[in-house]
Each structure stands twice: as structure tokens, then as C-alpha cells.
Amino acid sequence: MRFGTIIFVFFAMTAIWMSMAESIERRHLNVDSKLRTDVANLWGSTHLQKSAYLTGGPRLESADIDADIELEYRKKGHYWYSTYNVDFRASYQLPGGLPESATLEFPLPTGGGLFNDFQVLIDGRATEQYNQNGSLIQVPVADGATEVQVTYSGRGSDEWWYIFESTEGTPKNLTVDVKTNFREVAFIDGSVSPDDKEEIDDGWNMTWNYRNLLTGSQIGVEMPKKPNPGPALIDICRYGPLGLLLFFMAVAVCSVADGRCPHPMHFAFLGAGFFSFHLLLVYLGDVVGVSAAFGLAALVAILLNYHYGSLALGVEFARTRLLPVLFLYLVLFSATFMVEGKRGLLLVMLMIFSLHLLMRVSAKVDWSLLDRKAPQEEPVSL
């Protein structure tokens, strides 16, 4: 068997495939980026809610913040995105002896989206005596007022932040209560964990308490993500050459064990049939969905290689050797990339099992015969 030529065929096909896989990866990343932008435009992006502060007066006595975050997954194309509704309520206690020029500055969240039911109350009475300067709401407060409340309902995606800055405008006492309808709460790097966390029916009630805060800090809650097929498809394509290498090795070992001598062109055609699975998977996934595309692509690639193997290497070899090897290194190998969290373990188990099968097939092969130069190789009839 011409192992050197077969190795050359493998590396040539790998080089061609890697260039194609790179274009496939770019295609999926571009689709994901476009769809994520569309979702942000329709629903809103990450909310960055900054703390309110007083201008023309002393610091706020206290701020009590309540945010109810309701996660709602939205599907765009074949991708899932983590969007949410947030009901925001803030109560600010004013200090006494305010000058006439005192104004409460309330920044609306950056990140766009729709802010519905926006309302400002002074001492429990709704007022429209405020100005909007871009994303900044300016509420004049007269001496004698004790409390300002701000409420709104908003929409965003991916993350929610509450930021209190280390300026003299930071409230002396700050309490932030965040309630979620999901349990898989992740705190983003750079944010602080809650002081208290209580489990409720379908989520958590989390509380942060600060007294006379002088250092800047922030609260960041990341929405749990629903598994998306895009990254899995990219990984299947990226690691396709590894599956092809294992496939070629298994076919070569089985050929030696059965006393066959496939031509390198046989490996070239089998490799092309192997990669037909990846191409069909990527492009069918946009039409029929990922699960259906995986099954159809695997069926087509297996039938393609089985038919060719039957003609070139014999029906018995195709049935007893080629089909099991295709199932192992094409179907099962690719399927492991669809399982999040346990991919490494499944790959190791697959490798060990396939190693056992190859050891069993080749246990009685006299490998020393391969070192002897054959007088002349007979061409394989097609």
C-alpha cells in the first residue's frame, strides 16, 4: 500500500478543506453578527443603568433600586438570543435644605430599546415638570421635597448592569434589589456578588446593600444563553480533518487486515465523500434546521461512500468495514460537537472504543510483511 501517497492525499484534501471551512466560519459569524444587530435594533441591547445624582446640592441621602428582570428567549433565523423585559423602580431620598437650583439627574439606560410607562413622582405625586436632555432626565426639586421616584419598563438583551460611580453624587446609602425569573444567574467579571440571595418560585431575589460608598462599583447580571447551533457547526467543520485522518487510518488498517491494497485515488474519492457531509450540513441547516440537516447530510455521505466502496473495494468490505468506520468517525465524531459541556469526555470515549476495535481487527496482522518489497503491485480493478 502506498502510504506516502495516501498521506499526501490527506494533507492536500486538508489544505483545500481548511480554506473552505474558513469561508464557512466567516459566513456563520457574519450571519450571527447581523442577526444580533437586528435583535438589538428591534428589542434593545445591554442596559447600562447609571445611578442618579443631585446637582446644585449635597449628596442624596439614599437610593432604593428595584429591578424585575424577566428573561424571554427570541429566535432569529436558526439562532436563539437572550432578551429580557425589565421593570425598574427607583426611590431617592432627598437631603434637607436644598437650594433653588437643585436638580435630580437621572440617566436613562444606554443600549437603546423601548422605555414604556416612564413616570416621575415627587413625594408620591406624578409630575411632568422635568426636562429630557438626550438620555438624561433632569428633575427640578424644591426645598421641602423629601423623595423622588422614577419608574419605567424597558427591554434589552444579553446583560443588565447597574453602575454607581465614585463621585460625590453617589447616594450615601444604596440598596439594590434584583428579581429574576431564571435560576442560571451569572455575574459578569468586574461586577460584585449580592449580599443576600433568596430563591423564589422560578428564579432569585438578590440584594446589594452599601453604606457611605466611596469606591466605584457595579452590578452586572448576564442572561443565560440557549445553545445555538452555529458554534457547533463551526467546530464540526473545523475539526473535520481530524475525523478524516482517523477515517483514513481505520480504512488503511482494515485494508491491511483483509489483505486489500486500495489505490490512493480510492482514498481521495472517499475523502471527498467524507467532506460532502460537512458541506451539506452547513447549507441544509439554513433550510430545514440543524437536526434534520445533520441526519440528511450523514445519510447522503454514508450512501455516497458505501456505493463507491462497494464498486471499488467490494460489497463485503464496504458493508463490514467501511460502514462501521463511517459511523464512528463521521456521524458519532461530529455528533459529539453538538453536546455542550461533555464534548471532551465523549471524544475520549469514542477514541478508546475505536482503538479497541482497530486493535481487535489488526491483532493477527503480520506487519513485517509490509516491510518486504513486493515484486509488483497489481492495479485494483474498478
Side-chain angles (χ1 to χ4, degrees):
M1 190 179 297
R2 304 168 186 174
F3 288 106
T5 309
I6 295 173
I7 293 173
F8 172 79
V9 169
F10 166 75
F11 280 110
M13 297 195 69
T14 297
I16 296 171
W17 175 249
M18 291 305 291
S19 63
M20 296 178 64
E22 185 179 353
S23 66
I24 292 172
E25 181 174 359
R26 284 199 305 268
R27 174 179 176 272
H28 270 274
L29 292 178
N30 289 338
V31 169
D32 181 37
S33 178
K34 181 183 181 302
L35 293 178
R36 191 174 296 276
T37 301
D38 292 342
V39 170
N41 291 335
L42 292 171
W43 197 259
S45 58
T46 296
H47 276 201
L48 299 175
Q49 176 64 68
K50 293 185 178 181
S51 176
Y53 54 91
L54 277 174
T55 59
R59 294 168 61 186
L60 290 167
E61 287 295 324
S62 67
D64 293 319
I65 310 299
D66 290 287
D68 292 347
I69 302 175
E70 183 177 350
L71 174 67
E72 185 176 348
Y73 292 112
R74 294 192 172 271
K75 192 175 184 181
K76 191 78 171 172
H78 293 292
Y79 291 81
W80 287 97
Y81 296 94
S82 302
T83 63
Y84 59 84
N85 296 292
V86 56
D87 291 329
F88 183 86
R89 298 173 297 278
S91 176
Y92 303 103
Q93 298 297 320
L94 304 174
L98 289 173
E100 293 184 0
S101 60
T103 302
L104 178 76
E105 307 275 356
F106 179 84
L108 288 172
T110 58
L114 177 68
F115 302 107
N116 193 24
D117 296 331
F118 183 84
Q119 193 173 33
V120 177
L121 299 91
I122 299 179
D123 291 336
R125 296 174 185 164
T127 180
E128 294 184 1
Q129 301 300 314
Y130 58 83
N131 300 315
Q132 183 175 358
N133 183 9
S135 62
L136 191 65
I137 304 298
Q138 299 171 323
V139 183
V141 287
D143 187 22
T146 59
E147 182 186 50
V148 175
Q149 292 178 308
V150 179
T151 64
Y152 66 80
S153 296
R155 305 189 304 192
S157 57
D158 293 333
E159 301 172 359
W160 182 87
W161 290 83
Y162 187 83
I163 300 172
F164 29 100
E165 300 171 341
S166 57
T167 65
E168 61 182 6
T170 305
K172 294 179 183 178
N173 301 293
L174 176 65
T175 300
V176 180
D177 288 311
V178 176
K179 185 167 68 174
T180 69
N181 70 334
F182 51 89
R183 297 266 173 87
E184 301 82 9
V185 174
F187 301 106
I188 309 165
D189 291 343
S191 64
V192 291
S193 299
D195 299 307
D196 185 49
K197 188 176 179 182
E198 179 185 2
E199 188 173 356
I200 55 178
D201 291 339
D202 54 355
W204 295 96
N205 191 6
M206 300 170 288
T207 303
W208 289 260
N209 288 298
Y210 297 96
R211 299 293 177 263
N212 201 24
L213 182 69
L214 294 178
T215 58
S217 189
Q218 49 197 2
I219 296 168
V221 178
E222 183 178 14
M223 305 300 118
K225 293 178 174 57
K226 203 168 188 177
N228 273 321
L233 293 182
I234 291 173
D235 284 340
I236 290 175
C237 294
R238 183 185 294 123
Y239 290 96
L242 176 58
L244 179 66
L245 174 63
L246 298 172
F247 173 66
F248 274 9
M249 289 177 59
V251 171
V253 170
C254 291
S255 298
V256 172
D258 287 3
R260 297 181 179 273
C261 187
H263 192 274
M265 283 303 299
H266 292 148
F267 283 89
F269 281 114
L270 289 173
F274 187 92
F275 281 139
S276 68
F277 162 79
H278 302 81
L279 290 174
L280 280 173
L281 174 63
V282 170
Y283 288 97
L284 279 176
D286 293 337
V287 179
V288 299
V290 176
S291 298
F294 190 96
L296 288 173
L299 180 63
V300 169
I302 288 176
L303 290 177
L304 186 65
N305 277 359
Y306 175 75
H307 179 68
Y308 176 76
S310 299
L311 295 175
L313 303 172
V315 175
E316 184 66 18
F317 183 86
R319 182 177 62 83
T320 61
R321 302 303 194 195
L322 198 58
L323 277 181
V325 168
L326 279 170
F327 184 75
L328 275 176
Y329 297 121
L330 182 65
V331 180
L332 290 185
F333 180 83
S334 300
T336 58
F337 292 95
M338 306 291 289
V339 182
E340 293 289 338
K342 298 181 180 180
R343 179 184 304 172
L345 175 61
L346 292 176
L347 282 174
V348 170
M349 293 173 61
L350 175 64
M351 297 299 180
I352 293 175
F353 178 70
S354 61
L355 176 62
H356 163 69
L357 292 181
L358 292 178
M359 292 172 69
R360 182 173 179 178
V361 168
S362 62
K364 296 184 178 181
V365 172
D366 186 359
W367 295 99
S368 62
L369 295 176
L370 298 177
D371 296 332
R372 303 173 187 174
K373 185 176 180 180
Q376 184 68 38
E377 288 190 1
E378 294 293 333
V380 179
S381 60
L382 299 180

